[in-house]
Structure formats: structure tokens, C-alpha cells
Amino acid sequence: MAIPSKLLGVFLITLAVAGVLSEAGSIAVYWGQNGNEGSLADACATGNYKFALIAFLPTFGNGQTPMINLAGHCDPYSNGCTGLSADVKSCQRRGVKVLLSIGGGAGSYYLASSQDAKQVAGYLWNNFLGGSAASRPLGDAVLDGIDFDIEGGTNQHWNELARYLKGYGRVDLSAAPQCPYPDAWVGGALDTGLFDYVWVQFYNNPPCQYSSGDTTNLANAWEQWISIPAKEVFLGLPAAPEAAGSGYIPPNDLISKVLPIVKDSSKYGGIMLWSKYYDDLTGYSSKVKNHV
């Protein structure tokens, strides 16, 4: 039976819209390392972000007492970060996923054994996720998951930490590897296929990043990264020139030269920005969000 022309037109328009929506990406942003970047609730209220990554838990593992560090936002030593619970819930009501980022570029962390990985997983579950503890650093809000921003220590047992965390049930896992492939720290963990979102840092690594109009290195690295068994891969970028030593991509270049390359993959998830503070300086997310 032939489809009436009017219905056929509606059908084709619907398909076109669905195609556009399926290619639409999200923006993830790191928050927590500059007291001048506004509150977490304010960040989510912009409507620019789908993921808010609270940075960082830089001290954990090998028997250390875990401790968060949120720069000038609050003092965890006096239990002063529990007020963030309301902000986390505000973000989640807006449809923004909130994850705790563990590690960072400067910290004291590594996993000494499988048992250590299990203990850290238990700590994260009880203190930030769906478990319970006498004193939760960010209050009673239940975060959506854990982000692995591992840039030091050793490359051992991160795969086990991922497995233990996933074993608790609904826990989103993300990671922020460097763009040289495979990542020296969490490459093995990513091979587990347990990670939902991977925001690759395409900065501070000239051999695999965009440079002055040349997309070759970035495109080659991107092709390698979309081969990993993760649900979505994001392009990690500095939100301002001063946010990283190298790798900043001007918004117009991102829109015209880079996004057409990375959006060609079915695993493309969007972009990640470091960080909310630098995004405030440049308005980067506002300039690119309709194109991501």
C-alpha cells in the first residue's frame, strides 16, 4: 500500500529530526578546583552541561585516609563540604549527571593490591554513592558515578576498582585519559568495557592534538580512541588558552574543522571542558553548544 504524500512528508521530516538528534553531543565540565567559578548549582543552571565532574578526590589508596580537595569552595577538614548536597540534587533535577573525579594531576593516590581496590570501592560507594556512612563528605546526595582522572601513581588495579564499583549496581564510570593511545595509566582499565563515558584529554600532548589549523594528529588519535569498548567517547578540551599548556582550539575552529571529523563516529558523545572557571572566562560552552 502506498503511503499518502502528506504522511510520507511527515515521516521523512521525523527521520531527519531523529538523525539530527542522534548526532547531538553533550558537554561535560570539571568543577571544583577554583573558588572563583561559582557554585555547582550555578554551573548546572546554565543549561550548558550534561555532566558535572566534581574535582577532586586526590588522596586515597594504600591505607591513606581519603580526602577530597575542592580548592576554595569548602573545607573538608571541618566537614564543611556537606552543603554541596543541595547543589548536587539541584543539578540532578535539571538532568545533569554528577560524578566524583578521583585522582587529578597532583595528588597522593595509588592502589596497592586487589584488596586495596576493593576497599577504595567500598569507601566510594558508602561515602559518595548509594551506600551509607556516618559522615559523607558531600552530604546525603547520591552521586551518579565515579570519574577516573588517573595521571600518576601506578597503572595497577584500576580495572579491579572499576569492576568492584560496577558490582554495586547502577554506577556510571567515566575516565579522562591522555590522548596518546593507549593511556599509560588507565589503558588496561578501559579494556574492561565497563566505562560509560571517556573524555580524552586532547591537550598538553602535541603529538595527538590540534595545532594551528592542522587536524591530522587529532584525527589519527581520535580514530584509535573510538576503537575502545566504551559507550561514548568525548573530545576533551581546555576552555581557555591559559587552561592548558597547549591544545586550545578556538571555538570557530572547533565548529568548522574539528567537530565534523569527530562527529562522524557513532561513539561520539560530545566534548569535555577543563574547567568551569576557564569556561566562565571565555564563554566557550555557550559559543559551541549548538554545534556539539
Side-chain angles (χ1 to χ4, degrees), residues 49-152:
Y49 315 116
K50 182 64 184 292
F51 301 90
L53 309 167
I54 297 178
F56 288 106
L57 179 80
T59 304
F60 65 89
N62 195 33
Q64 301 176 94
T65 299
M67 183 59 67
I68 57 172
N69 179 336
L70 300 181
H73 288 288
C74 55
D75 177 17
Y77 291 94
S78 62
N79 215 25
C81 298
T82 56
L84 276 172
S85 181
D87 288 44
V88 171
K89 294 174 184 177
S90 172
C91 290
Q92 292 169 330
R93 284 195 298 270
R94 294 178 183 275
V96 179
K97 290 196 172 193
V98 183
L99 287 77
L100 174 69
S101 186
I102 64 172
S108 172
Y109 57 86
Y110 71 94
L111 300 175
S113 63
S114 299
Q115 183 61 27
D116 195 18
K118 185 175 184 179
Q119 289 177 339
V120 170
Y123 170 81
L124 293 171
W125 172 255
N126 288 321
N127 285 272
F128 297 98
L129 301 169
S132 61
S135 177
R136 289 167 61 100
L138 302 181
D140 63 357
V142 177
L143 303 190
D144 295 288
I146 301 296
D147 174 59
F148 288 46
D149 184 13
I150 307 305
E151 304 182 41

XYZ file of all heavy atoms in Angstrom, residues 49-152:
760
model
N 25.611 22.216 30.372
C 26.317 20.971 30.654
C 25.365 19.811 30.920
O 24.307 19.977 31.527
C 27.226 21.136 31.882
C 28.037 22.405 31.883
C 27.852 23.384 32.867
C 28.985 22.659 30.894
C 28.598 24.551 32.874
C 29.739 23.822 30.891
C 29.530 24.773 31.885
O 30.270 25.933 31.885
N 25.785 18.620 30.490
C 25.046 17.394 30.791
C 25.744 16.591 31.890
O 25.142 15.768 32.548
C 24.924 16.535 29.526
C 24.132 15.242 29.696
C 22.681 15.509 30.042
C 21.929 14.204 30.315
N 21.761 13.365 29.123
N 27.047 16.873 32.072
C 27.830 16.180 33.096
C 28.622 17.200 33.894
O 29.267 18.078 33.307
C 28.816 15.189 32.459
C 28.176 14.131 31.618
C 27.975 14.341 30.258
C 27.784 12.921 32.161
C 27.394 13.371 29.452
C 27.196 11.944 31.378
C 26.994 12.172 30.016
N 28.578 17.084 35.222
C 29.392 17.915 36.108
C 30.315 16.986 36.879
O 29.858 16.059 37.568
C 28.512 18.711 37.066
N 31.620 17.226 36.743
C 32.623 16.359 37.357
C 33.256 17.094 38.523
O 33.976 18.082 38.336
C 33.678 15.978 36.312
C 33.076 15.431 35.006
C 34.110 15.367 33.910
C 32.449 14.068 35.237
N 32.953 16.640 39.730
C 33.465 17.295 40.936
C 34.918 16.876 41.146
O 35.229 15.693 41.302
C 32.626 16.911 42.164
C 31.184 17.404 41.990
C 33.227 17.497 43.429
C 30.267 17.021 43.148
N 35.827 17.860 41.121
C 37.262 17.583 41.172
C 37.894 18.214 42.414
O 37.701 19.395 42.653
C 37.922 18.162 39.906
N 38.616 17.422 43.191
C 38.996 16.028 43.023
C 38.952 15.322 44.373
O 38.934 15.967 45.431
C 40.454 15.914 42.505
C 40.671 16.318 41.083
C 41.296 17.524 40.796
C 40.258 15.514 40.035
C 41.522 17.900 39.490
C 40.483 15.880 38.725
C 41.111 17.084 38.443
N 39.045 13.996 44.319
C 39.456 13.197 45.475
C 40.890 12.784 45.166
O 41.123 11.784 44.480
C 38.563 11.960 45.657
C 38.948 11.062 46.840
C 38.401 11.657 48.145
C 38.435 9.636 46.671
N 41.886 13.575 45.617
C 43.275 13.334 45.217
C 44.075 12.472 46.189
O 45.241 12.158 45.916
C 43.862 14.749 45.161
C 43.141 15.467 46.262
C 41.762 14.860 46.334
N 43.460 12.117 47.304
C 44.163 11.310 48.307
C 43.337 10.073 48.625
O 42.217 10.181 49.149
C 44.401 12.114 49.595
O 45.120 13.309 49.287
C 45.189 11.295 50.604
N 43.866 8.901 48.296
C 43.196 7.633 48.606
C 44.130 6.487 48.245
O 45.123 6.665 47.537
C 41.863 7.505 47.837
C 42.030 7.434 46.335
C 42.204 6.223 45.688
C 42.018 8.591 45.562
C 42.373 6.160 44.309
C 42.180 8.541 44.187
C 42.365 7.313 43.560
N 43.788 5.317 48.738
C 44.548 4.112 48.410
C 45.748 3.885 49.307
O 46.212 4.789 50.004
N 46.248 2.641 49.325
C 47.430 2.257 50.095
C 47.307 2.628 51.574
O 48.280 3.045 52.206
C 48.687 2.897 49.501
C 49.960 2.247 50.018
O 49.987 1.058 50.281
N 51.005 3.031 50.180
N 46.108 2.482 52.105
C 45.897 2.714 53.528
C 45.739 4.172 53.933
O 45.565 4.478 55.121
N 45.794 5.097 52.982
C 45.644 6.513 53.319
C 44.189 6.838 53.657
O 43.268 6.218 53.128
C 46.066 7.396 52.145
C 47.492 7.227 51.682
C 47.777 8.082 50.457
O 48.258 9.204 50.560
N 47.466 7.542 49.288
N 43.998 7.820 54.505
C 42.653 8.319 54.765
C 42.230 9.158 53.567
O 42.866 10.168 53.253
C 42.612 9.192 56.026
O 43.021 8.405 57.151
C 41.210 9.734 56.264
N 41.164 8.755 52.845
C 40.746 9.509 51.664
C 40.332 10.934 52.035
O 39.743 11.164 53.098
C 39.556 8.711 51.130
C 39.744 7.324 51.685
C 40.333 7.551 53.045
N 40.662 11.894 51.173
C 40.312 13.281 51.437
C 40.036 14.015 50.133
O 40.835 13.952 49.211
C 41.449 13.977 52.196
C 41.155 15.416 52.592
S 39.687 15.603 53.672
C 40.267 14.779 55.155
N 38.901 14.694 50.074
C 38.608 15.493 48.888
C 39.306 16.846 48.997
O 39.693 17.291 50.082
C 37.084 15.719 48.694
C 36.461 16.390 49.928
C 36.377 14.427 48.354
C 35.020 16.813 49.719
N 39.496 17.488 47.858
C 40.079 18.822 47.796
C 39.295 19.618 46.768
O 39.399 19.374 45.567
C 41.559 18.743 47.396
C 42.200 20.125 47.295
O 41.530 21.131 47.087
N 43.514 20.181 47.422
N 38.491 20.554 47.237
C 37.690 21.385 46.341
C 38.162 22.836 46.379
O 37.350 23.783 46.329
C 36.203 21.275 46.706
C 35.628 19.854 46.623
C 34.148 19.845 46.983
C 35.830 19.258 45.239
N 39.460 23.005 46.459
C 40.096 24.329 46.408
C 39.403 25.304 47.345
O 39.259 25.031 48.526
C 40.110 24.832 44.966
N 38.953 26.441 46.829
C 38.383 27.460 47.699
C 36.899 27.319 47.965
O 36.282 28.201 48.580
N 36.297 26.234 47.540
C 34.841 26.099 47.683
C 34.398 25.753 49.103
O 33.361 26.237 49.567
C 34.318 25.040 46.717
C 34.330 25.477 45.287
N 33.446 26.403 44.788
C 35.137 25.133 44.248
C 33.694 26.601 43.497
N 34.716 25.853 43.147
N 35.156 24.897 49.767
C 34.757 24.463 51.108
C 35.931 23.758 51.768
O 36.889 23.362 51.104
C 33.538 23.535 51.049
S 33.775 22.091 49.969
N 35.841 23.590 53.080
C 36.921 22.964 53.846
C 36.493 21.570 54.298
O 35.713 21.435 55.245
C 37.264 23.814 55.066
C 38.341 23.160 55.933
O 39.035 22.251 55.430
O 38.469 23.559 57.105
N 36.984 20.516 53.631
C 36.571 19.164 54.007
C 37.071 18.747 55.384
O 36.486 17.873 56.019
C 37.196 18.294 52.910
C 38.370 19.082 52.416
C 37.953 20.518 52.516
N 38.143 19.382 55.869
C 38.707 19.001 57.165
C 37.775 19.361 58.316
O 37.843 18.774 59.386
C 40.076 19.652 57.354
C 41.132 19.083 56.440
C 41.405 19.679 55.218
C 41.832 17.934 56.789
C 42.363 19.144 54.350
C 42.794 17.394 55.935
C 43.047 18.008 54.721
O 43.993 17.476 53.869
N 36.916 20.340 58.103
C 35.938 20.709 59.134
C 34.543 20.230 58.757
O 33.547 20.723 59.262
C 35.914 22.230 59.316
O 35.514 22.879 58.108
N 34.506 19.253 57.831
C 33.235 18.715 57.345
C 32.400 19.813 56.680
O 31.169 19.792 56.712
C 32.445 18.059 58.487
C 31.662 16.854 58.012
O 32.012 16.228 57.012
N 30.603 16.523 58.719
N 33.099 20.759 56.047
C 32.419 21.934 55.511
C 31.904 21.803 54.099
O 31.420 22.794 53.527
N 32.005 20.613 53.494
C 31.541 20.436 52.110
C 30.199 19.727 52.010
O 29.705 19.478 50.908
C 32.583 19.676 51.303
S 34.183 20.531 51.182
N 29.602 19.422 53.165
C 28.333 18.690 53.138
C 27.205 19.535 52.537
O 26.217 18.996 52.046
C 27.920 18.239 54.554
O 27.873 19.388 55.412
C 28.931 17.249 55.120
N 27.378 20.863 52.557
C 26.363 21.733 51.970
C 26.223 21.552 50.466
O 25.226 21.998 49.864
N 27.202 20.901 49.845
C 27.136 20.653 48.407
C 26.036 19.669 48.043
O 25.669 19.546 46.877
C 28.472 20.113 47.898
C 29.530 21.156 47.566
C 30.857 20.490 47.265
C 29.084 21.990 46.369
N 25.498 18.994 49.039
C 24.436 18.027 48.778
C 23.260 18.674 48.049
O 22.724 18.113 47.085
C 23.965 17.400 50.092
O 22.956 16.446 49.859
N 22.888 19.865 48.484
C 21.764 20.554 47.848
C 22.091 20.916 46.405
O 21.236 20.840 45.513
C 21.402 21.814 48.641
N 23.344 21.290 46.151
C 23.766 21.620 44.792
C 23.715 20.386 43.888
O 23.267 20.472 42.732
C 25.197 22.178 44.799
C 25.288 23.573 45.370
O 24.655 23.818 46.411
O 25.972 24.424 44.782
N 24.194 19.268 44.399
C 24.179 18.033 43.617
C 22.743 17.678 43.235
O 22.448 17.365 42.071
C 24.820 16.876 44.403
C 24.605 15.542 43.687
C 26.312 17.131 44.615
N 21.843 17.760 44.198
C 20.441 17.422 43.924
C 19.820 18.398 42.933
O 19.016 18.007 42.078
C 19.648 17.411 45.236
C 20.072 16.300 46.184
C 19.360 16.423 47.518
C 19.842 15.370 48.507
N 19.226 15.510 49.840
N 20.212 19.660 43.024
C 19.718 20.665 42.086
C 20.159 20.320 40.665
O 19.375 20.410 39.705
C 20.244 22.052 42.478
O 19.936 23.019 41.486
N 21.414 19.918 40.516
C 21.933 19.519 39.204
C 21.165 18.325 38.657
O 20.759 18.303 37.486
C 23.411 19.173 39.302
S 24.505 20.590 39.598
N 20.975 17.335 39.509
C 20.305 16.110 39.069
C 18.857 16.377 38.673
O 18.354 15.769 37.719
C 20.399 15.044 40.166
C 21.835 14.548 40.370
C 22.000 13.697 41.616
O 21.285 13.867 42.612
N 22.968 12.783 41.580
N 18.185 17.291 39.360
C 16.817 17.655 38.970
C 16.791 18.282 37.578
O 15.783 18.190 36.871
C 16.203 18.613 39.989
C 15.767 17.962 41.283
C 14.854 18.870 42.086
N 15.515 20.112 42.479
C 16.195 20.275 43.614
N 16.311 19.250 44.462
N 16.757 21.421 43.911
N 17.874 18.909 37.196
C 17.971 19.523 35.867
C 18.442 18.540 34.797
O 18.645 18.916 33.646
C 18.944 20.707 35.917
C 18.477 21.868 36.781
C 19.509 22.981 36.809
N 19.124 24.078 37.673
C 18.338 25.096 37.309
N 17.874 25.146 36.074
N 18.040 26.058 38.161
N 18.631 17.288 35.195
C 19.059 16.279 34.243
C 20.559 16.212 34.036
O 21.038 15.602 33.073
N 21.307 16.849 34.941
C 22.764 16.830 34.849
C 23.294 15.691 35.722
O 22.938 15.580 36.901
C 23.374 18.166 35.330
C 24.898 18.113 35.260
C 22.837 19.327 34.505
N 24.130 14.843 35.150
C 24.750 13.779 35.926
C 25.959 14.347 36.663
O 26.748 15.092 36.078
C 25.182 12.624 35.017
C 24.010 11.855 34.438
C 24.456 10.522 33.876
C 23.253 9.692 33.473
N 23.605 8.277 33.218
N 26.095 13.975 37.930
C 27.189 14.476 38.761
C 28.063 13.305 39.179
O 27.591 12.346 39.795
C 26.657 15.210 40.003
C 27.818 15.788 40.809
C 25.674 16.311 39.607
N 29.345 13.395 38.827
C 30.294 12.335 39.161
C 31.429 12.913 40.005
O 31.785 14.084 39.852
C 30.884 11.704 37.900
C 29.980 10.794 37.063
C 29.003 11.596 36.213
C 30.819 9.886 36.160
N 31.984 12.091 40.875
C 33.169 12.477 41.644
C 34.404 12.055 40.862
O 34.557 10.885 40.496
C 33.178 11.796 43.007
C 34.447 12.027 43.836
C 34.545 13.474 44.300
C 34.512 11.072 45.032
N 35.291 13.001 40.610
C 36.531 12.685 39.904
C 37.624 12.352 40.918
O 37.936 13.155 41.789
C 36.966 13.861 39.029
O 38.082 13.500 38.249
N 38.183 11.164 40.759
C 39.262 10.742 41.655
C 40.603 10.856 40.928
O 40.702 10.620 39.728
C 39.047 9.309 42.181
C 39.096 8.275 41.035
C 37.713 9.204 42.909
C 39.075 6.816 41.507
N 41.629 11.262 41.657
C 42.962 11.391 41.075
C 43.329 12.837 40.837
O 43.409 13.634 41.769
N 43.559 13.189 39.566
C 43.972 14.544 39.223
C 45.465 14.604 38.941
O 46.212 13.641 39.141
N 45.889 15.773 38.477
C 47.286 15.954 38.091
C 48.237 16.029 39.260
O 49.431 15.761 39.124
N 47.730 16.378 40.430
C 48.572 16.469 41.630
C 47.842 15.805 42.784
O 46.763 16.233 43.164
C 48.875 17.926 41.962
N 48.414 14.748 43.290
C 47.744 14.068 44.393
C 48.597 12.948 44.939
O 49.711 12.709 44.474
N 48.057 12.267 45.930
C 48.744 11.134 46.543
C 47.799 9.949 46.465
O 46.964 9.749 47.342
C 49.094 11.449 47.996
O 49.590 10.303 48.665
N 47.900 9.194 45.385
C 46.967 8.094 45.217
C 47.591 6.962 44.407
O 48.324 7.190 43.461
C 45.684 8.568 44.518
C 45.905 9.228 43.172
C 45.986 8.471 42.003
C 46.012 10.613 43.058
C 46.188 9.078 40.766
C 46.216 11.224 41.824
C 46.291 10.444 40.689
O 46.493 11.052 39.466
N 47.338 5.757 44.826
C 47.562 4.568 44.006
C 46.967 3.377 44.731
O 46.705 3.435 45.939
C 49.038 4.352 43.680
C 49.946 3.915 44.809
C 50.211 2.565 45.036
C 50.572 4.857 45.620
C 51.081 2.172 46.048
C 51.436 4.474 46.630
C 51.684 3.130 46.836
O 52.539 2.743 47.845
N 46.711 2.330 43.973
C 46.115 1.125 44.530
C 47.214 0.082 44.704
O 47.888 -0.282 43.743
C 45.011 0.605 43.607
C 43.858 1.591 43.368
C 42.875 1.018 42.352
C 43.147 1.918 44.671
N 47.375 -0.370 45.935
C 48.495 -1.258 46.252
C 48.213 -2.723 45.954
O 49.143 -3.516 45.800
C 48.864 -1.097 47.735
N 46.920 -3.094 45.868
C 46.580 -4.508 45.688
C 45.116 -4.628 45.286
O 44.376 -3.640 45.287
C 46.794 -5.273 47.003
O 45.907 -4.768 48.004
N 44.703 -5.844 44.978
C 43.294 -6.097 44.678
C 42.425 -5.770 45.891
O 41.334 -5.201 45.758
C 43.088 -7.560 44.278
O 43.824 -7.866 43.126
N 42.918 -6.130 47.054
C 42.171 -5.840 48.285
C 42.052 -4.334 48.496
O 41.011 -3.836 48.933
C 42.855 -6.496 49.485
C 42.131 -6.313 50.817
C 40.728 -6.911 50.821
O 40.450 -7.846 50.086
N 39.841 -6.357 51.648
N 43.102 -3.608 48.170
C 43.074 -2.150 48.277
C 42.007 -1.574 47.338
O 41.238 -0.673 47.705
C 44.455 -1.582 47.930
C 44.626 -0.132 48.356
O 43.845 0.343 49.203
O 45.549 0.525 47.842
N 41.949 -2.100 46.122
C 40.933 -1.649 45.164
C 39.532 -1.906 45.712
O 38.633 -1.059 45.577
C 41.125 -2.367 43.830
N 39.353 -3.055 46.335
C 38.043 -3.393 46.907
C 37.680 -2.439 48.040
O 36.525 -1.989 48.151
C 38.067 -4.834 47.420
C 36.727 -5.331 47.926
C 36.796 -6.806 48.302
C 35.422 -7.327 48.708
N 35.483 -8.782 49.063
N 38.662 -2.111 48.867
C 38.398 -1.201 49.989
C 38.079 0.215 49.492
O 37.174 0.872 50.023
C 39.607 -1.175 50.932
C 39.785 -2.462 51.720
C 41.033 -2.452 52.598
O 41.955 -1.683 52.366
N 41.050 -3.331 53.593
N 38.801 0.683 48.483
C 38.527 2.012 47.933
C 37.146 2.045 47.294
O 36.402 3.017 47.443
C 39.624 2.414 46.913
C 39.211 3.675 46.148
C 40.947 2.646 47.633
N 36.775 0.971 46.599
C 35.445 0.893 46.002
C 34.375 0.977 47.084
O 33.370 1.685 46.927
C 35.290 -0.397 45.199
N 34.603 0.276 48.179
C 33.647 0.317 49.286
C 33.538 1.717 49.885
O 32.443 2.184 50.219
N 34.686 2.374 50.026
C 34.680 3.743 50.549
C 33.881 4.665 49.632
O 33.053 5.456 50.096
C 36.113 4.257 50.697
C 36.154 5.736 50.992
C 35.959 6.208 52.289
C 36.341 6.660 49.970
C 35.949 7.573 52.552
C 36.340 8.023 50.230
C 36.134 8.475 51.520
O 36.118 9.823 51.775
N 34.134 4.579 48.330
C 33.435 5.450 47.382
C 31.934 5.176 47.382
O 31.121 6.111 47.353
C 34.001 5.254 45.970
C 35.450 5.718 45.768
C 35.970 5.268 44.405
C 35.561 7.236 45.908
N 31.566 3.909 47.440
C 30.154 3.550 47.445
C 29.452 4.089 48.698
O 28.380 4.687 48.606
C 30.006 2.021 47.386
C 28.587 1.546 47.576
C 28.054 0.961 48.686
C 27.519 1.643 46.629
N 26.726 0.681 48.501
C 26.375 1.087 47.237
C 27.414 2.149 45.339
C 25.134 1.021 46.584
C 26.190 2.081 44.687
C 25.064 1.520 45.299
N 30.076 3.910 49.846
C 29.428 4.304 51.098
C 29.466 5.799 51.363
O 28.580 6.337 52.045
C 30.072 3.561 52.275
C 29.696 2.094 52.304
O 28.563 1.737 52.030
N 30.660 1.239 52.603
N 30.452 6.487 50.809
C 30.605 7.905 51.124
C 30.091 8.865 50.060
O 29.835 10.037 50.354
C 32.073 8.213 51.419
C 32.502 7.709 52.776
O 32.368 8.393 53.785
N 33.017 6.481 52.815
N 29.954 8.368 48.818
C 29.521 9.266 47.745
C 28.391 8.708 46.886
O 27.699 9.472 46.210
C 30.703 9.595 46.823
C 31.806 10.337 47.504
C 32.935 9.666 47.969
C 31.729 11.712 47.693
C 33.959 10.353 48.614
C 32.746 12.402 48.332
C 33.863 11.729 48.792
N 28.212 7.395 46.896
C 27.225 6.773 46.016
C 26.036 6.254 46.828
O 25.561 6.937 47.713
C 27.911 5.674 45.192
C 29.075 6.179 44.312
C 29.887 5.017 43.744
C 28.549 7.065 43.191
N 25.561 5.059 46.516
C 24.316 4.592 47.117
C 24.401 3.928 48.469
O 23.382 3.490 49.013
N 25.605 3.853 49.030
C 25.758 3.234 50.339
C 25.520 4.224 51.461
O 24.923 5.286 51.273
N 25.995 3.891 52.647
C 25.803 4.787 53.792
C 27.045 4.798 54.665
O 27.759 3.801 54.779
C 24.586 4.353 54.620
O 24.769 3.040 55.124
N 27.308 5.963 55.237
C 28.441 6.134 56.145
C 28.064 7.186 57.172
O 27.164 8.012 56.941
C 29.691 6.556 55.379
N 28.742 7.157 58.305
C 28.413 8.088 59.386
C 28.594 9.534 58.950
O 27.822 10.417 59.344
C 29.278 7.780 60.609
N 29.618 9.786 58.171
C 29.883 11.160 57.732
C 30.254 11.151 56.251
O 31.358 10.752 55.878
C 31.016 11.759 58.559
O 31.331 13.059 58.091
N 29.321 11.580 55.416
C 29.581 11.630 53.976
C 30.109 13.016 53.611
O 29.473 14.024 53.925
C 28.299 11.313 53.197
C 27.893 9.837 53.320
C 26.471 9.591 52.824
N 26.275 9.912 51.418
C 26.267 9.010 50.426
N 26.491 7.725 50.695
N 26.047 9.373 49.179
N 31.278 13.096 52.960
C 31.930 14.383 52.703
C 31.056 15.408 51.977
O 31.174 16.609 52.228
C 33.144 13.994 51.853
C 33.462 12.595 52.275
C 32.130 11.960 52.528
N 30.179 14.938 51.071
C 29.322 15.867 50.330
C 27.870 15.786 50.775
O 26.959 16.217 50.054
C 29.414 15.578 48.815
C 30.808 15.654 48.186
C 30.740 15.376 46.697
C 31.450 17.023 48.439
N 27.661 15.260 51.968
C 26.300 15.167 52.478
C 25.575 13.942 51.952
O 26.192 12.988 51.472
N 24.238 13.973 52.019
C 23.464 12.769 51.719
C 23.121 12.598 50.244
O 22.479 11.622 49.863
C 22.181 12.746 52.554
C 21.236 13.900 52.239
O 21.594 14.767 51.405
O 20.137 13.938 52.822
N 23.508 13.511 49.394
C 23.238 13.364 47.964
C 23.944 12.124 47.422
O 25.059 11.803 47.833
C 23.707 14.598 47.205
N 23.286 11.435 46.520
C 23.856 10.237 45.906
C 24.370 10.617 44.521
O 23.592 10.925 43.619
C 22.797 9.118 45.794
C 23.388 7.901 45.074
C 22.293 8.738 47.184
N 25.680 10.609 44.355
C 26.262 10.956 43.062
C 25.948 9.867 42.032
O 25.619 8.736 42.379
C 27.774 11.141 43.177
C 28.285 12.184 44.181
C 29.780 12.416 43.990
C 27.537 13.505 44.019
N 26.085 10.232 40.764
C 25.751 9.295 39.697
C 26.880 8.327 39.373
O 26.627 7.277 38.772
C 25.369 10.070 38.432
C 24.091 10.870 38.635
O 23.016 10.243 38.699
O 24.167 12.118 38.751
N 28.104 8.703 39.738
C 29.194 7.809 39.400
C 30.551 8.342 39.779
O 30.679 9.332 40.502
N 31.579 7.677 39.256
C 32.971 7.985 39.575
C 33.747 8.193 38.275
O 33.626 7.405 37.324
C 33.633 6.839 40.385
C 32.866 6.590 41.701
C 35.100 7.163 40.661
C 32.871 7.748 42.686
N 34.544 9.256 38.261
C 35.393 9.587 37.124
C 36.837 9.265 37.471
O 37.338 9.687 38.509
C 35.238 11.078 36.801
C 36.193 11.549 35.721
O 36.136 10.989 34.612
O 36.988 12.482 35.987
N 37.514 8.531 36.595
C 38.911 8.158 36.812
C 39.810 9.157 36.073
O 40.014 9.034 34.867
C 39.193 6.754 36.262
C 38.608 5.604 37.049
C 37.294 5.636 37.493
C 39.365 4.468 37.305
C 36.750 4.561 38.203
C 38.829 3.388 38.001
C 37.519 3.439 38.460
N 40.333 10.144 36.796
C 41.311 11.059 36.190
C 42.684 10.697 36.756
O 43.253 11.413 37.579
C 40.958 12.516 36.489
C 41.898 13.492 35.790
O 42.649 13.043 34.890
O 41.908 14.677 36.132
N 43.178 9.555 36.315
C 44.399 8.996 36.878
C 45.598 9.445 36.041
O 45.730 9.076 34.871
C 44.324 7.462 36.928
C 43.039 7.027 37.660
C 45.566 6.898 37.600
C 42.869 7.609 39.052
N 46.459 10.236 36.668
C 47.606 10.806 35.960
C 48.910 10.583 36.704
O 49.897 11.285 36.487
C 47.382 12.305 35.721
C 46.100 12.623 34.962
C 45.909 14.102 34.700
O 46.902 14.780 34.370
O 44.764 14.584 34.812
N 48.909 9.612 37.611
C 50.110 9.349 38.386
C 49.963 8.071 39.190
O 49.014 7.313 39.019
